[in-house]
Amino acid sequence: MKLRYTADINSYKRMTNAELKQAFVVDDLFAPGETVLTYTDVDRAIVGSAVPQDKPLGLPQSKELGSDYFCERREVGIVNIGGAGTIEVDGTSYKMQYKDSLYIARESKDISFSSVNPSEPAQYYIVSYPAHRTTQTTHVSKADAHHIELGSAIESNDRVINQSIRPGIVDSCQLVMGFTELEPGSVWNTKPPHTHRRRSEIYMYFEYNDDNRVFHFMGEPSETRSLVLAAGTAVISPAWSIHSGAGTTNYTFIWAMGGENQTFDDMDHIPISDIS
């Protein structure tokens, strides 16, 4: 378990690009044959990945959790962005196709990640938050997610929001998770930018090649900074920061939120004319 200490609402304004990345960006995900986890001080969230090849992988216990096993007091959300695979939770197997999601409930003990074809492994993206109650582990295919079409090609933000872990589909404690797919020709992932001080958020950008980048914008509306991100990179957004981004091409990003409110539309929009 790696540790990540983020910057506060004042200090980020004086940081270099390298310092901002060190504080907010997780760029060591999806290591073949490994489970990679980073513990952040933002709402005690954990972000990571598992890429099983010829043998299954698990969620290791760590002293940072202060528990006997990973999910003793935690819930986990997973989206597969690789080849077909299977996740086994306490003896029950869940087949994971591309962009399928799995919610793993608190008190789940034995968790195992595997791939159908080691040469085309599953790539499990993982986000975990503390959980105060025990619910039920639930598989959600992409088809079974709640789909919302937003934006327009004229404003370069024509997109589909796929809500997979949310009230009405999954009974989670605080975790809300899904992914947004931008149509060709669209580059803005949310427009206008927004904040929600009642919950933090983690983005993970993918589905674009090495010749392209996403410019992720963070900070207070009057003091924004940009982080230039390659595919397969996650960025931590504290509750005080805006989260918005524009790419050099269209892309997909996974969003995961934890906090006091699970209502997806609970956000404070910021007029673009107020951004500086």
Side-chain angles (χ1 to χ4, degrees):
M1 184 83 70
K2 301 177 183 178
L3 299 179
R4 179 61 52 88
Y5 298 100
T6 54
D8 62 39
I9 194 171
N10 295 313
S11 61
Y12 86 92
K13 302 171 186 177
R14 302 183 295 273
M15 297 170 72
T16 66
N17 286 352
E19 290 170 335
L20 287 170
K21 279 196 168 185
Q22 178 60 36
F24 297 103
V25 174
V26 180
D27 57 5
D28 58 353
L29 298 168
F30 307 110
E34 295 183 26
T35 300
V36 177
L37 298 172
T38 296
Y39 186 107
T40 170
D41 60 355
V42 176
D43 287 338
R44 292 178 290 164
I46 293 174
V47 56
S49 62
V51 184
Q53 291 185 306
D54 55 351
K55 61 180 181 180
L57 298 173
L59 283 177
Q61 190 275 345
S62 173
K63 67 177 183 179
E64 284 76 19
L65 304 181
S67 59
D68 292 331
Y69 54 96
F70 190 93
C71 284
E72 184 176 6
R73 292 186 294 274
R74 281 187 165 270
E75 59 185 351
V76 179
I78 299 164
V79 179
N80 180 19
I81 66 165
T86 300
I87 302 177
E88 186 170 303
V89 181
D90 290 337
T92 300
S93 295
Y94 302 90
K95 295 184 182 301
M96 298 290 292
Q97 301 297 324
Y98 188 63
K99 292 183 178 175
D100 281 2
S101 302
L102 184 68
Y103 171 78
I104 301 179
R106 168 181 159 148
E107 296 184 356
S108 300
K109 290 185 177 180
D110 297 319
I111 301 168
S112 176
F113 303 96
S114 62
S115 298
V116 172
N117 184 353
S119 63
E120 297 179 3
Q123 298 184 58
Y124 300 110
Y125 175 66
I126 301 165
V127 176
S128 173
Y129 280 93
H132 62 276
R133 63 190 179 96
T134 301
T135 57
Q136 183 175 350
T137 297
T138 306
H139 174 269
V140 183
S141 68
K142 180 183 177 182
D144 290 336
H146 181 62
H147 311 291
I148 303 173
E149 296 182 4
L150 284 180
S152 68
I154 293 175
E155 293 197 335
S156 302
N157 69 336
D158 187 10
R159 63 199 190 276
V160 177
I161 299 173
N162 303 273
Q163 300 174 336
S164 52
I165 300 175
R166 54 152 283 176
I169 297 177
V170 173
D171 180 23
S172 65
C173 293
Q174 63 169 317
L175 177 65
V176 180
M177 192 172 183
F179 53 94
T180 299
E181 301 168 303
L182 276 69
E183 297 295 333
S186 289
V187 297
W188 287 96
N189 60 40
T190 181
K191 193 175 183 182
H194 64 271
T195 62
H196 30 64
R197 293 185 180 274
R198 293 153 294 281
R199 51 190 177 172
S200 60
E201 187 161 16
I202 299 171
Y203 281 8
M204 195 283 290
Y205 294 99
F206 69 109
E207 286 196 323
Y208 54 103
N209 62 33
D210 289 341
D211 294 329
N212 288 286
R213 292 292 185 270
V214 169
F215 292 74
H216 179 91
F217 302 107
M218 61 154 293
E220 293 182 283
S222 60
E223 285 281 352
T224 59
R225 299 292 184 269
S226 62
L227 296 163
V228 184
L229 305 179
T233 301
V235 58
I236 302 161
S237 296
W240 50 262
S241 175
I242 69 167
H243 13 298
S244 179
T248 56
T249 185
N250 64 313
Y251 53 90
T252 300
F253 69 103
I254 299 172
W255 42 267
M257 294 177 281
E260 295 182 297
N261 194 338
Q262 292 183 310
T263 304
F264 181 82
D265 293 333
D266 174 32
M267 60 186 74
D268 301 313
H269 292 289
I270 302 164
I272 292 178
S273 57
D274 290 348
I275 303 295
S276 61

